[in-house]
Amino acid sequence: GGNSWWSVNFGDPTKYGENTGLFINPYDYDYKNNIIYASHEPGQYLRCENPITSLTYNAISIPAMGTDMVASVKVSDDAATPNLVYLGTTGGKIIRVTNANTNTPTATNITDAAMPVGAFPSCINTGWDDSRNLIVSYSNYAVNSIWVRNTNGAWTSIEGNLPDMPIWSCMFFPGDDTRAIIATETGLFESSVFNGNATVWTRVNTIPFTRVYMIKYNRYTGVL
């Protein structure tokens, strides 16, 4: 009921500056299975089980990450593939993890060769029509910073007419996997229908000209 709280230290307090997660640590919650997935040490993600009652945790090694750390996390709602998690890494990789709830998951690097190597993937989101549709944003300057992936596994840059600026959060337009809404260094933008690098983006003028770090949509209330 919010009357009691406790903290959990995932690091070793005897090691000064131990690298457990990022300063603002990315995570996502699998509400179906009551599991939190988060960034941890290089080459690992943290799996926290039963966080509401008696939190236990495991550090899961993912060789496909190399020495990267988890920079963004998305738990998929794909009913056909339960326990599917997407990870963006500090080295710019996008990793698809199946059986993420086990100690021996299967991880696949699904990054396209054209995507910005070494850039920081600030957000990963899945689609509405099919959660295998993916949208990924990067928060770097001087890169193609917004990409979509269709169910056939093909990635496309939809940078279009966007200014050169960090993108902090992204999502497909509610109920429509052919459009998107993004949170940027200068507010919110909406796209027209995706058309590769000819995609047209329009700034949402009712939002102040300021940095927006995150957007969330409640599909039950229709509120963004």
Side-chain angles (χ1 to χ4, degrees):
N3 293 318
S4 59
W5 296 80
W6 68 95
S7 63
V8 180
N9 185 353
F10 297 116
D12 183 347
T14 67
K15 297 180 181 179
Y16 176 75
E18 179 168 348
N19 200 7
T20 52
L22 303 180
F23 180 71
I24 299 175
N25 207 41
Y27 73 94
D28 200 13
Y29 179 56
D30 181 350
Y31 66 92
K32 295 178 181 177
N33 298 298
N34 195 24
I35 299 173
I36 292 174
Y37 295 94
S39 182
H40 195 51
E41 296 187 358
Q44 296 181 334
Y45 67 82
L46 191 70
R47 188 182 72 235
C48 305
E49 301 173 5
N50 302 313
I52 296 173
T53 54
S54 58
L55 187 146
T56 58
Y57 67 93
N58 290 282
I60 308 300
S61 295
I62 301 294
M65 289 176 55
T67 58
D68 291 356
M69 294 180 67
V70 173
S72 50
V73 188
K74 175 61 180 178
V75 174
S76 171
D77 286 326
D78 190 350
T81 311
N83 303 299
L84 169 61
V85 177
Y86 293 99
L87 306 174
T89 77
T90 51
K93 301 185 184 82
I94 307 299
I95 308 291
R96 182 180 189 269
V97 183
T98 56
N99 300 315
N101 62 322
T102 72
N103 290 336
T104 55
T106 299
T108 306
N109 185 351
I110 60 171
T111 318
D112 189 85
M115 296 171 82
V117 176
F120 194 93
S122 54
C123 182
I124 305 173
N125 238 322
T126 52
W128 303 96
D129 297 333
D130 189 318
S131 61
R132 291 175 296 171
N133 289 328
L134 297 179
I135 184 167
V136 174
S137 62
Y138 291 85
S139 59
N140 301 71
Y141 289 98
V143 300
N144 281 356
S145 51
I146 185 79
W147 294 74
V148 290
R149 183 178 190 259
N150 62 27
T151 56
N152 294 323
W155 288 99
T156 304
S157 168
I158 53 169
E159 186 81 2
N161 64 330
L162 282 174
D164 181 14
M165 62 183 175
I167 298 177
W168 299 105
S169 188
C170 60
M171 59 176 276
F172 289 106
F173 202 88
D176 187 351
D177 286 0
T178 68
R179 301 173 61 194
I181 303 173
I182 57 176
T184 79
E185 192 74 2
T186 61
L188 292 186
F189 283 73
E190 296 179 0
S191 78
S192 59
V193 173
F194 297 150
N195 188 22
N197 278 322
T199 300
V200 175
W201 293 89
T202 304
R203 191 178 176 280
V204 180
N205 291 324
T206 51
I207 299 296
F209 195 84
T210 188
R211 179 183 300 145
V212 180
Y213 273 124
M214 184 179 294
I215 47 177
K216 291 286 186 179
Y217 179 75
N218 186 329
R219 66 176 67 191
Y220 301 106
T221 62
V223 174
L224 178 68

